[in-house]
Amino acid sequence: MLSRTVHGFGYAFCAEARDTNQGPSDQLGVRSRLVWGDRVLALRAGENLLGRDKEAAVCLDAASVSRHHARILVEGARATLEDLGSKNGTTLRGELITEPTRLRDGDEIRVGPILIVYRSAERGVSTETTT
């Protein structure tokens, strides 16, 4: 990153812009995301923390959600969900998980009282026609 002083304004910073969502999953043409109510949250390649912590990739502000509740690890076309020793647990498809578990498109995840749906789709796939 470069910086320079701009008279009367202070510092100006400049750097090359990069898409932080780029990673192995995008390179394979797969997009992973979470649907929470009317919100759609893109997941990055690598670790995506779910919890009450403001720095979490998916910040869930609920008293029964731990600061570092669970994580979703995205590696290419594969995504796994893992509970991080949360007090109230994490459920996937209605079952409490105790070890890292692979996610499938449409899976329902419950973190405390919050219901989230995992979605995974290939890029460039044409829209299916309904009759």
Side-chain angles (χ1 to χ4, degrees):
M1 175 167 40
L2 302 172
S3 67
R4 61 186 169 86
T5 303
V6 179
H7 182 70
F9 290 96
Y11 290 101
F13 297 96
C14 61
E16 182 181 329
R18 290 182 290 147
D19 184 352
T20 58
N21 285 324
Q22 288 293 327
S25 64
D26 283 343
Q27 290 170 2
L28 291 174
V30 177
R31 299 218 50 166
S32 296
R33 59 200 185 285
L34 297 177
V35 179
W36 174 22
D38 61 352
R39 296 177 220 159
V40 178
L41 309 166
L43 297 174
R44 288 182 235 171
E47 182 178 89
N48 295 271
L49 181 66
L50 285 71
R52 212 174 60 240
D53 189 324
K54 300 268 187 247
E55 300 299 315
V58 180
C59 182
L60 305 169
D61 191 18
S64 60
V65 174
S66 300
R67 283 187 303 270
H68 295 176
H69 197 101
R71 75 175 181 159
I72 295 176
L73 186 60
V74 177
E75 298 173 301
R78 179 185 172 106
T80 55
L81 174 67
E82 177 181 8
D83 183 78
L84 298 176
S86 66
K87 192 173 186 181
N88 294 311
T90 304
T91 62
L92 174 62
R93 300 177 213 119
E95 300 287 327
L96 192 64
I97 61 168
T98 57
E99 59 186 29
T101 306
R102 187 164 184 182
L103 290 169
R104 299 183 306 236
D105 184 47
D107 275 349
E108 291 188 349
I109 302 165
R110 188 168 293 278
V111 178
I114 300 170
L115 179 65
I116 302 169
V117 177
Y118 171 76
R119 301 302 303 197
S120 176
E122 291 183 42
R123 286 184 167 184
V125 175
S126 64
T127 305
E128 186 176 301
T129 303
T130 58
T131 54

Short mmCIF file of all heavy atoms in Angstrom, two decimals, residues 55-81:
data_model
loop_
_atom_site.label_atom_id
_atom_site.label_comp_id
_atom_site.label_asym_id
_atom_site.label_seq_id
_atom_site.Cartn_x
_atom_site.Cartn_y
_atom_site.Cartn_z
N GLU A 55 -16.54 -9.52 14.54
CA GLU A 55 -15.58 -9.82 13.47
C GLU A 55 -15.91 -11.11 12.72
O GLU A 55 -15.22 -11.45 11.77
CB GLU A 55 -14.16 -9.92 14.07
CG GLU A 55 -13.69 -8.66 14.76
CD GLU A 55 -13.62 -7.47 13.82
OE1 GLU A 55 -13.11 -7.63 12.71
OE2 GLU A 55 -14.09 -6.39 14.22
N ALA A 56 -16.95 -11.82 13.13
CA ALA A 56 -17.32 -13.09 12.47
C ALA A 56 -17.77 -12.82 11.04
O ALA A 56 -18.37 -11.78 10.74
CB ALA A 56 -18.42 -13.78 13.26
N ALA A 57 -17.51 -13.76 10.15
CA ALA A 57 -17.97 -13.64 8.76
C ALA A 57 -19.49 -13.54 8.71
O ALA A 57 -20.05 -12.82 7.90
CB ALA A 57 -17.49 -14.83 7.93
N VAL A 58 -20.15 -14.27 9.62
CA VAL A 58 -21.60 -14.23 9.74
C VAL A 58 -21.91 -13.89 11.20
O VAL A 58 -21.87 -14.75 12.07
CB VAL A 58 -22.25 -15.57 9.34
CG1 VAL A 58 -23.77 -15.50 9.47
CG2 VAL A 58 -21.85 -15.96 7.91
N CYS A 59 -22.17 -12.61 11.46
CA CYS A 59 -22.43 -12.13 12.82
C CYS A 59 -23.91 -12.34 13.16
O CYS A 59 -24.78 -11.81 12.48
CB CYS A 59 -22.06 -10.66 12.95
SG CYS A 59 -22.29 -10.02 14.61
N LEU A 60 -24.16 -13.16 14.19
CA LEU A 60 -25.52 -13.50 14.61
C LEU A 60 -25.74 -12.94 16.00
O LEU A 60 -25.24 -13.50 16.99
CB LEU A 60 -25.71 -15.02 14.60
CG LEU A 60 -25.37 -15.72 13.28
CD1 LEU A 60 -25.33 -17.22 13.47
CD2 LEU A 60 -26.35 -15.33 12.20
N ASP A 61 -26.45 -11.84 16.09
CA ASP A 61 -26.62 -11.15 17.36
C ASP A 61 -27.81 -11.71 18.13
O ASP A 61 -28.93 -11.20 18.05
CB ASP A 61 -26.80 -9.65 17.10
CG ASP A 61 -26.71 -8.84 18.38
OD1 ASP A 61 -26.19 -9.36 19.38
OD2 ASP A 61 -27.16 -7.68 18.38
N ALA A 62 -27.57 -12.80 18.86
CA ALA A 62 -28.59 -13.43 19.71
C ALA A 62 -27.90 -13.93 20.96
O ALA A 62 -26.78 -14.46 20.89
CB ALA A 62 -29.28 -14.56 18.97
N ALA A 63 -28.55 -13.77 22.11
CA ALA A 63 -27.94 -14.13 23.40
C ALA A 63 -27.56 -15.60 23.50
O ALA A 63 -26.58 -15.94 24.17
CB ALA A 63 -28.89 -13.75 24.54
N SER A 64 -28.27 -16.49 22.83
CA SER A 64 -27.96 -17.92 22.92
C SER A 64 -26.94 -18.39 21.89
O SER A 64 -26.66 -19.58 21.77
CB SER A 64 -29.24 -18.74 22.80
OG SER A 64 -29.87 -18.49 21.56
N VAL A 65 -26.37 -17.45 21.14
CA VAL A 65 -25.32 -17.77 20.17
C VAL A 65 -23.97 -17.40 20.79
O VAL A 65 -23.79 -16.30 21.31
CB VAL A 65 -25.53 -16.98 18.85
CG1 VAL A 65 -24.36 -17.18 17.90
CG2 VAL A 65 -26.84 -17.39 18.19
N SER A 66 -23.02 -18.34 20.77
CA SER A 66 -21.68 -18.09 21.29
C SER A 66 -20.94 -17.11 20.39
O SER A 66 -21.27 -16.97 19.21
CB SER A 66 -20.88 -19.39 21.38
OG SER A 66 -21.52 -20.31 22.23
N ARG A 67 -19.92 -16.45 20.94
CA ARG A 67 -19.13 -15.52 20.13
C ARG A 67 -18.49 -16.23 18.94
O ARG A 67 -18.47 -15.72 17.84
CB ARG A 67 -18.06 -14.84 20.99
CG ARG A 67 -18.61 -13.74 21.86
CD ARG A 67 -17.50 -12.98 22.55
NE ARG A 67 -16.63 -13.84 23.34
CZ ARG A 67 -16.83 -14.12 24.63
NH1 ARG A 67 -17.83 -13.59 25.27
NH2 ARG A 67 -16.01 -14.92 25.28
N HIS A 68 -17.95 -17.40 19.17
CA HIS A 68 -17.39 -18.25 18.11
C HIS A 68 -18.17 -19.56 18.16
O HIS A 68 -17.70 -20.55 18.71
CB HIS A 68 -15.89 -18.50 18.33
CG HIS A 68 -15.08 -17.27 18.22
ND1 HIS A 68 -13.73 -17.26 18.46
CD2 HIS A 68 -15.39 -15.99 17.91
CE1 HIS A 68 -13.26 -16.03 18.30
NE2 HIS A 68 -14.26 -15.25 17.96
N HIS A 69 -19.34 -19.57 17.57
CA HIS A 69 -20.29 -20.67 17.70
C HIS A 69 -19.96 -21.85 16.79
O HIS A 69 -19.89 -22.99 17.22
CB HIS A 69 -21.70 -20.15 17.41
CG HIS A 69 -22.78 -21.04 17.90
ND1 HIS A 69 -23.48 -20.80 19.04
CD2 HIS A 69 -23.29 -22.19 17.38
CE1 HIS A 69 -24.37 -21.76 19.23
NE2 HIS A 69 -24.27 -22.61 18.22
N ALA A 70 -19.78 -21.57 15.52
CA ALA A 70 -19.54 -22.62 14.53
C ALA A 70 -18.73 -22.03 13.38
O ALA A 70 -18.50 -20.83 13.32
CB ALA A 70 -20.87 -23.16 14.00
N ARG A 71 -18.30 -22.91 12.48
CA ARG A 71 -17.62 -22.42 11.30
C ARG A 71 -18.01 -23.27 10.10
O ARG A 71 -18.34 -24.45 10.24
CB ARG A 71 -16.10 -22.42 11.47
CG ARG A 71 -15.47 -23.78 11.38
CD ARG A 71 -13.98 -23.68 11.42
NE ARG A 71 -13.40 -25.02 11.31
CZ ARG A 71 -12.19 -25.26 10.92
NH1 ARG A 71 -11.38 -24.25 10.62
NH2 ARG A 71 -11.73 -26.48 10.82
N ILE A 72 -17.95 -22.63 8.95
CA ILE A 72 -18.13 -23.33 7.68
C ILE A 72 -16.82 -23.21 6.94
O ILE A 72 -16.32 -22.11 6.73
CB ILE A 72 -19.29 -22.74 6.86
CG1 ILE A 72 -20.61 -22.96 7.60
CG2 ILE A 72 -19.33 -23.37 5.47
CD1 ILE A 72 -21.81 -22.34 6.92
N LEU A 73 -16.25 -24.34 6.59
CA LEU A 73 -15.00 -24.38 5.86
C LEU A 73 -15.32 -24.70 4.40
O LEU A 73 -15.89 -25.76 4.10
CB LEU A 73 -14.07 -25.44 6.46
CG LEU A 73 -12.67 -25.52 5.89
CD1 LEU A 73 -11.93 -24.21 6.09
CD2 LEU A 73 -11.91 -26.66 6.56
N VAL A 74 -14.98 -23.76 3.51
CA VAL A 74 -15.24 -23.94 2.08
C VAL A 74 -13.91 -24.27 1.41
O VAL A 74 -12.96 -23.49 1.47
CB VAL A 74 -15.86 -22.66 1.46
CG1 VAL A 74 -16.06 -22.83 -0.04
CG2 VAL A 74 -17.17 -22.31 2.15
N GLU A 75 -13.86 -25.45 0.80
CA GLU A 75 -12.67 -25.90 0.08
C GLU A 75 -13.11 -26.37 -1.30
O GLU A 75 -13.61 -27.48 -1.45
CB GLU A 75 -11.99 -27.04 0.83
CG GLU A 75 -11.51 -26.65 2.21
CD GLU A 75 -10.98 -27.83 3.01
OE1 GLU A 75 -11.75 -28.78 3.24
OE2 GLU A 75 -9.80 -27.77 3.38
N GLY A 76 -12.95 -25.50 -2.28
CA GLY A 76 -13.39 -25.82 -3.64
C GLY A 76 -14.90 -25.99 -3.66
O GLY A 76 -15.64 -25.13 -3.19
N ALA A 77 -15.38 -27.12 -4.17
CA ALA A 77 -16.81 -27.38 -4.26
C ALA A 77 -17.36 -28.00 -2.98
O ALA A 77 -18.54 -28.26 -2.88
CB ALA A 77 -17.09 -28.30 -5.44
N ARG A 78 -16.51 -28.21 -2.00
CA ARG A 78 -16.91 -28.88 -0.75
C ARG A 78 -17.00 -27.87 0.39
O ARG A 78 -16.13 -27.01 0.55
CB ARG A 78 -15.89 -29.96 -0.42
CG ARG A 78 -16.15 -30.70 0.85
CD ARG A 78 -14.99 -31.67 1.12
NE ARG A 78 -15.12 -32.27 2.41
CZ ARG A 78 -15.49 -33.51 2.63
NH1 ARG A 78 -15.75 -34.29 1.58
NH2 ARG A 78 -15.60 -33.98 3.83
N ALA A 79 -18.04 -27.98 1.21
CA ALA A 79 -18.19 -27.13 2.40
C ALA A 79 -18.56 -28.02 3.58
O ALA A 79 -19.38 -28.93 3.44
CB ALA A 79 -19.26 -26.07 2.17
N THR A 80 -17.95 -27.76 4.72
CA THR A 80 -18.26 -28.52 5.93
C THR A 80 -18.63 -27.56 7.06
O THR A 80 -18.10 -26.46 7.15
CB THR A 80 -17.08 -29.41 6.38
OG1 THR A 80 -15.92 -28.60 6.54
CG2 THR A 80 -16.79 -30.52 5.40
N LEU A 81 -19.53 -28.02 7.92
CA LEU A 81 -19.98 -27.27 9.08
C LEU A 81 -19.43 -27.94 10.33
O LEU A 81 -19.47 -29.16 10.46
CB LEU A 81 -21.52 -27.27 9.14
CG LEU A 81 -22.16 -26.64 10.38
CD1 LEU A 81 -21.91 -25.14 10.43
CD2 LEU A 81 -23.66 -26.93 10.39
#
